[in-house]
Amino acid sequence: MTGFHLDNATARRVFLDRHALAEPPTGPAGPNEIQSLIERLGFVQVDSVQTVARAHHMILWSRRQRYRPATLSRLLERERSLFENWTHDAAIIPTRFFPHWHEKFRRSRKRMEERWPKWQGDTFLGECDEVLSRITRAGPLTAGEAGDGKAGNGGGWWEWQPAKAALEYLWRSGDLAIARREAFRKIYDLTEKVIPETHRAPSPSEHAIDWACHAALDRLGFATHGEIAAFWDLVSPAEARDWCLAEMAAGRLIEGRIEGADGRAYRAYARPEMIETAKDTPEPPSGRARILSPFDPALRDRKRTERLFGFHYRIEIFVPEARRKYGYYVFPVMEGARLIGRLDAKAMRETGCLSVRAFWPEPGLRMGKARLARLEAELDRLARFSDCTRVDYADGWLREAMPG
């Protein structure tokens, strides 16, 4: 097979199947099921915003609605089958992938050694050594305990105190790991105290690069070399391109065209077997709505999502309120293989209320009685997950679609 063409409907099905969104969000959600789900996705992004629920919890809930956060804590903090580190952002990753992260640690350390002393001062690397020695002697630390009590208590990375910066440097370069979180504060410890010995030995660089490209394509189904590189943020686009060319020469990869939502096609790579099975990929269930985290794996690559679904999405947290089009933190809503709108909601736990401020359907989408009932049923489920007992709807919450 020398090439392929995937129409948009088939490409969406493949995309959603690889992101575990092509089946109903039902079934058991115990430790084994959640471990398997995260391995299937590759990772889940961690984010501190808790408008309704933190991103990592909502990503898992949207796929297994029996999921409860205590299950993830067990896998991270007791069983150690997951660890927290960095992909394109902070993420929870299967521990069996840890050997490949040594390559990421090596690259991250090199970049940080070039840049962070200019940011934190000439004594920064010496301060890192002091923090590492302190944890070796005294045990786990939070940023506040390591510094003056202010580190990590708000503000962006540019406001980090020296102790916070040192801990992050040591974490991103592999000397430290996150032992656990308390009130979402990271507690850092020596990597050897957190990662089981069976997973600590590093993979050779060339093996890590090959693994990263294979594992990314497995989870994307089809991808450009740039998308392969961006998935783990472990290899460069040039390395991913060279890998794709080598795999094509060996007959293990083919290049073809993917039809976007606007009818235009773009070039991508896929395995021959994926193309053969794509036509049998199931249609996502259309009988219910699904509320997604803004950091959902299916939305992480905004350009890819826009190409496939015609859905332009941006988080407006850092946009001044007067200039926001939708809201501080709005949730994409999916139905079947379509992204149908955006939801502005907040869990008011002190009153037990999930407050729904607005829902904007996508242009051309009609919110009939059946679709509205599906959305309200999903909001009832989301309220229960976020420890609320009811849903309150603001006047005029069902808005008109905004122009693109």
Side-chain angles (χ1 to χ4, degrees), residues 39 41-43 83 87 93-104 203-219 228 231-235 243 247 271:
E39 297 211 2
L41 296 173
F43 61 88
F83 75 103
T87 54
I93 307 157
T95 305
R96 69 183 184 90
F97 298 169
F98 189 83
H100 308 298
W101 248 250
H102 286 275
E103 181 64 17
K104 189 169 182 69
S203 294
S205 292
E206 62 275 11
H207 180 59
I209 292 169
D210 185 62
W211 173 86
C213 294
H214 274 294
L217 187 58
D218 285 343
R219 288 162 178 81
I228 290 171
F231 187 84
W232 306 108
D233 195 27
L234 195 155
V235 303
W243 178 84
E247 290 293 296
R271 302 189 196 284

Side-chain angles (χ1 to χ4, degrees), residues 170-348:
L170 293 164
W171 175 49
R172 297 188 196 190
S173 56
D175 293 308
L176 298 181
I178 306 302
R180 63 187 185 281
R181 284 181 182 257
E182 291 180 358
F184 207 66
R185 291 192 303 272
K186 295 174 189 160
I187 298 177
Y188 302 83
D189 202 353
L190 299 175
T191 295
E192 64 199 55
K193 299 286 186 67
V194 177
I195 304 298
E197 184 178 5
T198 52
H199 297 298
R200 289 204 299 267
S203 294
S205 292
E206 62 275 11
H207 180 59
I209 292 169
D210 185 62
W211 173 86
C213 294
H214 274 294
L217 187 58
D218 285 343
R219 288 162 178 81
L220 292 169
F222 52 85
T224 66
H225 72 267
E227 290 168 344
I228 290 171
F231 187 84
W232 306 108
D233 195 27
L234 195 155
V235 303
S236 70
E239 287 170 326
R241 182 193 60 228
D242 291 346
W243 178 84
C244 289
L245 294 175
E247 290 293 296
M248 283 184 65
R252 293 187 292 266
L253 213 61
I254 53 175
E255 187 178 21
R257 300 176 70 80
I258 308 295
E259 183 185 6
D262 62 1
R264 292 184 294 179
Y266 66 95
R267 303 194 71 81
Y269 299 97
R271 302 189 196 284
E273 58 267 27
M274 190 283 290
I275 302 305
E276 293 298 323
T277 60
K279 59 182 178 294
D280 298 322
T281 303
E283 190 73 35
S286 59
R288 65 187 295 165
R290 200 183 309 233
I291 299 170
L292 303 178
S293 163
F295 296 105
D296 194 278
L299 300 160
R300 181 194 66 80
D301 187 334
R302 309 288 193 218
K303 291 182 180 179
R304 181 179 169 100
T305 304
E306 189 166 353
R307 278 202 302 263
L308 285 176
F309 295 91
F311 187 79
H312 179 83
Y313 181 79
R314 297 293 183 271
I315 292 177
E316 297 183 294
I317 289 175
F318 300 111
V319 176
E321 186 172 359
R323 291 169 50 196
R324 289 174 188 153
K325 186 175 180 180
Y326 295 103
Y328 174 79
Y329 192 87
V330 298
F331 299 90
V333 179
M334 177 170 282
E335 181 187 71
R338 298 178 66 183
L339 286 159
I340 65 168
R342 302 147 211 265
L343 175 77
D344 186 0
K346 183 175 183 179
M348 314 291 285

